[in-house]
Amino acid sequence: METAAIQTHGLTRRFGALTAVEDVTLSVAPGQFFGFLGPNGAGKSTTIKMLTGLLEPSAGTVEILGQPFGAGALHLKRQIGVVPEGMALLGRLTAPEYLHFVGRMYGLDRETTNQRTQELLEFMQLANETKKLVTDFSHGMQKKLALAAAVIHGPKVLFLDEPFEGVDAIAAGMLKSMLQGMINRGATIFLTTHVLEIVERLCSHVAIISQGRLVANGSIEALRAGVASTLPGAEQEQRLTLEEIFLSIVGAGGTQEQAQELSWLS
Amino acid sequence: MAFIGGADLGEAGLNGAGGLGAPPASLAGGIMGTLARAQYGALARLRWRMFLNGLRSNKGALELGARTFSLLVYGLMGLGLGTGMGIATFFLVSRGEWRLLPILFWVLVFLWQAIPVMLASFQEQFDLGILLRFPVRFGSYMLLYLVFGLLDISTILGGLCCVGIWFGVAAARPGLLVFATLALAVFAAFNILLVRAVFAWIDRWLAQRKTREILGAIFMVGLLSLQLMNPALYQKRHARHTGPDERVQQLREAEARYAPVLKVASTVQKCLPPGMAAQSLRHAVQHEPVTGLESLGGMALYALLVGGVLALRLKAEYRGENLGSAPARVKAASGRNGAVAGSGIQERKAVGLRGGSGPIAAVIEKDVRSLLRTLPLLYAIGAPLLLVLVFSGVFIKNGAAQGPMFPLALPLCMMYAQLGFTQVFYNNLGTEGAGIQLYFLSPTPIRTVLLAKNLLHAFLFGLVALVAAVLTGLRLGPPDGAVVAATVAWLLFSLPCNLAAGNIFSLRMPYRVNPGRISRQRGSQANALLSLLVQLGVLAMGAAVFSLCWFLDRMWLATPIFLTLAMGAVFVWRRVLGNADGLAYQRRDALMATLMKES
């Protein structure tokens, strides 16, 4: 049996009395483009932090490429790339300086780092911004740089926390093709985003987390079939969008009614 | 009734406001209008809640204890300075030494402006930028900016000095009481506005790459120009011993030689606020109230001018200018993309560490770049050198280096130079910001990152120590060989001590340093106070050994003692580095939460 790229068992994180993530068990196969969805505050970023070693689980286990993730998992860290929630950028460096630094922190030699830095800057359309400090970048440019930094060492597993937020349509298209290329070469991608259209287009499998608990997990087709089976006979024939699946599983009841209550907004 | 998530909107003040389209009527009021007063109250409650919430954690309680202690220390410092100023004023005013009185006011202006930078890492400041999202009037914004400024160290110390001067004047000439009160109040207002204006504009310049580089260059040139002072000082050191009559004669000759310059300087300073403050008192004593009031009015005009300059800056901030996104260099032409990227990499190669491609070299290169773009840290490191130059003057008497403590001048100057590294040693992750995540994501152990930082800081400290030693040597003459050896041995002991403690403090109680600002830094009182205590402990051990060996007239003995202590310190430093990953991972949540804070 093939070792899962990402495997969690009973993953739980508590902050005092609050349980942010509870008993999350999931498995992501190698080469899979996996979408991890959930409403705001559902526990997506907390889960990614635990999967990437930024946060210690209160309970449960994490294995990446078959290896447990602990403080000493330095060899494992070489094989993963991350765009975390805070982007992990260093504002007082220029983009080439930052990529150069990251490459060397991941153990690349100077020549390889230089070459990849130049290629990534050109690919991300940041090549004409080499004199600007990262702190002076727009949010979208910072996102592109964070993504470049996450892939500079050629990771086998890539964790992306909202990578398309603030990125323009042209750059988003390029990023999508780059990520698809990585998948074609055998990498595994774990993606969280609120743009469900992107997930629907790129991901083969999704998991949905709500209030810290995993409420759905499987291929998009399987989830579509599962949700359709709960609908009345005539509606079962419709092809549900991921948004409809998501709303059906997470539950959007009451929001429109509540909005109508806010009569003073008009 | 409308509600969201169970919260009654009526309690939130929206009830009956007539909807979002109708702004509250009180918005029309001035800076003391109903809305403004409600906002002041809300801000006061916010500060109070932040204070109470801070007490919920052990760290918060520690911060409060440290802050209380710091306030006491600053209060005592202020009382000491104020008493000194008061006594000096009393003698000058009662003896009618009006020519010398402006010197006191100039010293006070210098202190008032220099203290905020010297103690930047020892005070926490509240950034009022958070108010800009609310409907706060500009007048209210500026008023709050000034009111919050009244609680900082420079104002406390400067204010106590003004009180001291007031007592000095009142004791010497009770008739001047009212005039002195007026003059000192205007003088204090000028200083408060000046220090705020200077730092607000420096922050603005630091936010732009071009001006930041210019300021950095000026700073470096300033530091290097210290060397130019050496030849003059060197000549002075070799001046032969003179008797009292000869010295009087030399003074007269010097006065005659520099008389034109002194005359111009005296005239110019009379037109500036410190000179005007002294002038106003002088004219009041000489029963020239109109001239005195003219000086007072002139000082008030300066205060208004400086206030206007500050208002210009604050107005820009108030209009939503974001310092972090200040315009940078003009973009290169799109057709030059490849060439620009290539040249960027060439540039990197030029400043890279030769032969070093590992993480240690990467961290050192990155930190050197960051340091060169972080003026507050450069200032903190470089400023003690200037003061070493001044401080070494303590050992010069009658034109020559001597005095009972003279043999210990070199180690004392070294000890002082080390203080500039407090923020660098004890908060070595403070400038990382969101980049701290990278250290936990990358396969490089945290101990390697800290080792690289320690190596760079040790090198920088070595450099500063060398410059300080050269300055001291040129000023006071070459020290005794045994003293040099003992000083080097003491540095070998104190450096690993500070690095080890600094690594622990950096992981346990870090605070975010905004590299683009000198003022309005957050800081950590607990870190500042405890790091100072550790430094004082190391200094006290050094002082004890030096004093003992000096007393026994066996200075050579200090070297083996310090070397033995240094071996212990290096052992402790290595242990701390060895345990750094465990501590860092144990504290990673708090570390990231603290260093990634926006403001």
Side-chain angles (χ1 to χ4, degrees):
Chain A
M1 189 181 160
E2 198 177 16
T3 308
I6 303 166
Q7 176 80 58
T8 72
H9 188 79
L11 198 61
T12 302
R13 177 67 204 201
R14 297 183 200 91
F15 295 101
L18 172 77
T19 303
V21 174
E22 189 172 8
D23 197 24
V24 168
T25 298
L26 57 81
S27 179
V28 179
Q32 219 169 58
F33 206 135
F34 193 87
F36 194 57
L37 311 176
N40 291 333
K44 298 187 296 296
S45 293
T46 305
T47 305
I48 277 208
K49 280 179 186 166
M50 288 191 282
L51 294 179
T52 54
L54 287 178
L55 192 65
E56 193 168 12
S58 305
T61 58
V62 175
E63 282 188 7
I64 309 292
L65 300 169
Q67 298 173 59
F69 213 137
L74 301 181
H75 175 67
L76 181 55
K77 286 184 178 181
R78 285 182 198 274
Q79 301 180 61
I80 68 168
V82 189
V83 175
E85 195 178 17
M87 292 193 274
L89 298 174
L90 293 161
R92 303 314 265 189
L93 299 184
T94 61
E97 288 169 355
Y98 176 68
L99 289 180
H100 194 77
F101 172 65
V102 173
R104 289 166 71 191
M105 290 297 281
Y106 276 94
L108 300 181
D109 62 63
R110 192 182 284 268
E111 286 70 32
T112 310
T113 308
N114 280 345
Q115 185 192 336
R116 291 188 186 179
T117 294
Q118 192 163 354
E119 286 175 16
L120 281 166
L121 287 174
E122 281 167 13
F123 182 82
M124 297 288 180
Q125 295 180 327
L126 296 171
N128 59 343
E129 306 287 359
T130 52
K131 302 285 182 188
K132 214 175 187 179
L133 291 187
V134 173
T135 194
D136 296 330
F137 273 18
S138 71
H139 185 73
M141 287 160 74
Q142 288 186 344
K143 276 281 176 187
K144 288 198 276 187
L145 182 63
L147 192 61
V151 299
I152 194 168
H153 57 294
K156 288 181 181 167
V157 183
L158 188 59
F159 293 91
L160 307 173
D161 195 346
E162 295 286 355
F164 298 103
E165 186 193 27
V167 177
D168 63 62
I170 300 166
M174 283 186 344
L175 295 184
K176 278 186 260 182
S177 63
M178 185 191 86
L179 295 175
Q180 198 59 60
M182 286 181 72
I183 291 289
N184 294 341
R185 285 193 286 272
T188 308
I189 298 178
F190 189 94
L191 165 79
T192 77
T193 178
H194 289 293
V195 188
L196 298 180
E197 182 211 345
I198 288 175
V199 176
E200 193 164 16
R201 195 178 301 167
L202 293 175
C203 299
S204 55
H205 289 70
V206 295
I208 299 175
I209 189 171
S210 179
Q211 296 179 331
R213 287 177 162 273
L214 211 58
V215 292
N217 186 9
S219 69
I220 293 181
E221 285 310 316
L223 295 184
R224 183 173 285 135
V227 171
S229 67
T230 63
L231 300 174
E235 291 181 32
Q236 284 186 14
E237 300 303 315
Q238 289 179 346
R239 184 177 165 79
L240 295 171
T241 63
L242 184 59
E243 185 180 352
E244 288 165 329
I245 296 169
F246 179 78
L247 292 175
S248 170
I249 292 171
V250 173
T255 49
Q256 285 187 348
E257 290 78 3
Q258 281 173 5
Q260 283 168 9
E261 290 290 321
L262 305 176
S263 55
W264 48 267
L265 274 173
S266 56
Chain B
M1 177 178 290
F3 66 92
I4 300 174
D8 185 350
L9 292 182
E11 288 173 8
L14 289 168
N15 194 15
L20 288 185
S26 52
L27 201 60
I31 61 167
M32 293 314 287
T34 314
L35 178 64
R37 277 186 279 120
Q39 286 167 340
Y40 302 149
L43 197 62
R45 276 194 296 278
L46 168 77
R47 296 288 289 157
W48 177 242
R49 286 309 313 172
M50 283 168 71
F51 168 73
L52 288 182
N53 292 344
L55 293 179
R56 287 183 189 177
S57 63
N58 291 336
K59 190 187 168 200
L62 187 66
E63 283 287 334
L64 176 68
R67 202 170 299 166
T68 311
F69 184 78
S70 305
L71 207 64
L72 273 173
V73 171
Y74 298 137
L76 286 173
M77 277 168 67
L79 281 176
L81 279 170
T83 307
M85 289 270 184
I87 292 169
T89 309
F90 174 79
F91 280 109
L92 292 178
V93 174
S94 57
R95 292 179 183 184
E97 294 281 0
W98 300 109
R99 274 198 321 166
L100 299 177
L101 191 60
I103 295 172
L104 269 185
F105 286 98
W106 277 106
V107 169
L108 187 48
V109 168
F110 174 76
L111 275 178
W112 214 311
Q113 309 307 313
I115 283 170
V117 178
M118 290 167 72
L119 298 176
S121 60
F122 295 97
Q123 58 180 339
E124 187 180 359
Q125 294 164 356
F126 185 63
D127 188 358
L128 289 170
I130 61 158
L131 293 181
L132 296 178
R133 75 188 76 161
F134 305 115
V136 177
R137 291 181 151 275
F138 175 65
S140 302
Y141 181 70
M142 188 155 171
L143 182 69
L144 286 167
Y145 185 82
L146 292 173
V147 168
F148 275 100
L150 292 179
L151 301 175
D152 71 13
I153 303 166
S154 64
T155 314
I156 293 171
L157 295 187
L160 285 170
C161 286
C162 280
V163 171
I165 292 175
W166 182 84
F167 272 113
V169 174
R173 307 273 178 130
L176 274 181
L177 208 64
V178 177
F179 214 86
T181 308
L182 265 174
L184 286 166
V186 178
F187 183 68
F190 164 76
N191 277 291
I192 290 170
L193 290 168
L194 181 64
V195 74
R196 308 249 146 259
V198 166
F199 284 100
W201 277 99
I202 286 180
D203 280 345
R204 174 63 191 139
W205 291 325
L206 288 178
Q208 283 179 298
R209 187 188 169 108
K210 200 169 183 178
T211 45
R212 186 166 54 227
E213 284 169 354
I214 291 170
L215 276 182
I218 290 172
F219 178 76
M220 294 306 287
V221 168
L223 271 185
L224 292 173
S225 66
L226 279 179
Q227 303 299 323
L228 297 175
M229 296 169 76
N230 288 332
L233 298 166
Y234 189 74
Q235 281 174 3
K236 189 179 179 184
R237 184 177 63 79
H238 287 287
R240 62 187 176 82
H241 289 253
T242 51
D245 294 339
E246 278 180 293
R247 281 205 301 278
V248 171
Q249 184 60 34
Q250 282 173 354
L251 271 175
R252 282 184 184 150
E253 283 171 11
E255 201 174 349
R257 194 181 313 147
Y258 297 115
V261 179
L262 287 173
K263 195 175 175 184
V264 171
S266 173
T267 313
V268 170
Q269 71 88 27
K270 277 178 191 168
C271 304
L272 296 170
M276 286 179 166
Q279 283 290 102
S280 65
L281 293 177
R282 179 184 190 166
H283 290 304
V285 168
Q286 292 169 347
H287 303 291
E288 297 166 347
V290 177
T291 325
L293 281 172
E294 274 175 11
S295 297
L296 206 62
M299 206 159 46
L301 276 177
Y302 270 109
L304 280 176
L305 181 72
V306 172
V309 171
L310 173 64
L312 271 179
R313 182 88 296 281
L314 290 182
K315 190 84 181 174
E317 279 185 30
Y318 177 76
R319 284 177 181 149
E321 173 197 66
N322 182 359
L323 288 180
S325 59
R329 290 174 74 101
V330 178
K331 286 181 187 176
S334 56
R336 293 173 53 214
N337 289 2
V340 171
S343 66
I345 290 164
Q346 286 301 322
E347 184 184 45
R348 271 199 319 280
K349 276 183 180 171
V351 296
L353 291 179
R354 284 185 180 278
S357 61
I360 292 181
V363 173
I364 290 176
E365 277 186 38
K366 190 271 290 176
D367 274 7
V368 167
R369 288 194 179 100
S370 298
L371 184 69
L372 291 175
R373 292 162 188 167
T374 309
L375 200 64
L377 284 185
L378 275 179
Y379 183 90
I381 292 170
L385 284 177
L386 182 64
L387 291 170
V388 161
L389 206 67
V390 177
F391 184 61
S392 53
V394 171
F395 302 99
I396 295 178
K397 287 193 177 157
N398 299 332
Q402 53 181 271
M405 294 286 282
F406 170 65
L408 297 181
L410 180 68
L412 285 172
C413 288
M414 290 292 119
M415 287 174 182
Y416 187 80
Q418 189 171 296
L419 287 177
F421 280 80
T422 304
Q423 200 177 20
V424 177
F425 285 156
Y426 287 85
N427 188 34
N428 58 30
L429 297 168
T431 52
E432 302 293 350
I436 186 70
Q437 286 182 313
L438 185 68
Y439 295 136
F440 287 103
L441 291 171
S442 78
T444 303
I446 300 292
R447 64 174 174 276
T448 308
V449 174
L450 292 181
L451 174 64
K453 285 175 178 285
N454 286 176
L455 289 174
L456 173 65
H457 296 162
F459 171 76
L460 286 175
F461 179 69
L463 203 66
V464 168
L466 189 67
V467 175
V470 170
L471 286 175
T472 314
L474 287 172
R475 184 111 205 244
L476 304 175
D480 184 56
V483 172
V484 174
T487 305
V488 172
W490 175 76
L491 289 176
L492 291 175
F493 158 64
S494 77
L495 192 61
C497 280
N498 280 302
L499 291 175
N503 288 339
I504 296 173
F505 279 50
S506 299
L507 294 171
R508 292 203 74 90
M509 48 182 81
Y511 56 93
R512 183 168 178 177
V513 174
N514 186 335
R517 279 182 172 175
I518 284 187
S519 61
R520 287 182 281 174
Q521 295 280 2
R522 287 184 71 82
S524 162
Q525 288 292 321
N527 181 307
L529 190 67
L530 292 175
S531 60
L532 201 63
L533 287 179
V534 174
Q535 289 229 38
L536 285 177
V538 175
L539 293 179
M541 281 181 76
V545 172
F546 271 117
S547 305
L548 183 70
C549 296
W550 183 45
F551 180 73
L552 296 173
D553 202 17
R554 303 267 192 284
M555 192 51 84
W556 60 268
L557 193 58
T559 305
I561 293 175
F562 281 131
L563 287 177
T564 311
L565 288 170
M567 283 193 282
V570 169
F571 175 75
V572 172
W573 172 66
R574 290 190 59 176
R575 285 294 300 269
V576 169
L577 268 187
N579 294 327
D581 281 275
L583 182 58
Y585 276 90
Q586 184 194 330
R587 300 265 317 149
R588 65 185 150 182
D589 293 4
L591 256 175
M592 285 190 274
T594 307
L595 297 178
M596 290 171 68
K597 264 180 197 163
E598 274 308 309
S599 61

